[in-house]
Amino acid sequence: MRTMQERGVPEQMQNNEFKPRFASSIYDSFAWIPVGMSLFCCIALLIVRLTVVSGISMNPTLQHGDLMVTSGLLYQPARGDIVVLTKEGFFFSQPIVKRIIAVGGDNININFDLGQVWVNGQLLHEPYIAEATTRSEGLPFPQTVPNGCIFVMGDNRSHSDDSRDPELGMVDIRCIIGRVYVVLPTGQIVQKMKGSSEHV
């Protein structure tokens, strides 16, 4: 049998171990996956936040127990947005979820007798509310929202403590934790399951 040297194999190659380059490159590629996933999760936690709806103030849009995906990154408040916010001293300083009705510079007026909400002289079309806005909480109207503030209300107008209450009133935009971008209807699913079990 001919030796490697007799077959003309260089001496340096004789001494080196055989390394499967293809298998090695695949391993190197997949080795970064756990690191990448960990980095992605850390960044995601800084950008988005998961919050569970507590209460009925946003019915029928949100149900108790629904899971919300929120983010405050580069967010600029806009009318109609649903936001999670907190104000020191209001609702035990706990986060609340409400809809932005007016922003800084807007004039807002509410006719509680007719249940109508007006912003800058325009009657709002509000298909998302549970009932008309007939409940006054003490704040006189009309009001002009100061710059850097928002006026918020819950969609369940008769069961929501919001900017109609002078204790909350106009909310500084720095109190906003984030806008609600995605809603996972976990609360609605639980309610349907309960309803189904009751009829069994």
Side-chain angles (χ1 to χ4, degrees):
M1 180 180 291
R2 299 176 61 190
T3 65
M4 294 180 68
Q5 191 169 8
E6 290 174 341
R7 293 201 303 267
V9 178
E11 187 177 349
Q12 290 181 343
M13 292 183 64
Q14 296 175 33
N15 297 330
N16 291 338
E17 291 184 12
F18 174 72
K19 295 181 179 180
R21 294 181 180 178
F22 181 72
S24 177
S25 61
I26 291 178
Y27 174 80
D28 291 341
S29 299
F30 279 94
W32 281 99
I33 291 179
V35 177
M37 291 182 65
S38 298
L39 183 61
F40 174 80
C41 290
C42 290
I43 294 174
L45 288 173
L46 293 174
I47 296 175
V48 301
R49 177 182 301 210
L50 298 179
T51 309
V52 178
V53 177
S54 178
I56 62 171
S57 71
M58 282 298 293
N59 285 3
T61 307
L62 302 175
Q63 302 291 328
H64 177 75
D66 284 353
L67 185 63
M68 302 176 293
V69 180
T70 67
S71 176
L73 184 66
L74 304 176
Y75 174 62
Q76 293 296 320
R79 300 184 204 101
D81 288 351
I82 297 176
V83 294
V84 176
L85 57 92
T86 181
K87 184 175 181 180
E88 187 68 30
F90 184 79
F91 196 67
F92 308 103
S93 302
Q94 296 297 309
I96 58 175
V97 56
K98 303 295 175 185
R99 186 183 298 273
I100 297 178
I101 303 301
V103 297
D106 285 343
N107 180 271
I108 181 165
N109 194 12
I110 301 178
N111 186 322
F112 293 105
D113 293 329
L114 299 177
Q116 297 176 340
V117 180
W118 298 73
V119 175
N120 300 327
Q122 299 291 322
L123 176 64
L124 292 188
H125 175 59
E126 300 185 287
Y128 43 77
I129 61 175
E131 65 281 300
T133 311
T134 57
R135 175 184 167 190
S136 173
E137 297 183 25
L139 190 72
F141 290 92
Q143 291 275 344
T144 298
V145 183
N147 290 328
C149 293
I150 55 174
F151 181 94
V152 299
M153 285 196 287
D155 290 353
N156 195 1
R157 297 289 165 79
S158 294
H159 301 87
S160 173
D161 296 323
D162 47 46
S163 288
R164 291 170 290 172
D165 185 340
E167 289 190 19
L168 181 64
M170 308 299 171
V171 183
D172 193 305
I173 60 174
R174 291 173 293 185
C175 296
I176 298 175
I177 296 174
R179 177 189 174 189
V180 177
Y181 286 97
V182 178
V183 178
L184 303 178
T186 50
Q188 300 178 38
I189 293 173
V190 171
Q191 290 297 325
K192 288 181 180 179
M193 290 177 63
K194 285 182 178 179
S196 298
S197 63
E198 288 173 357
H199 290 88
V200 173

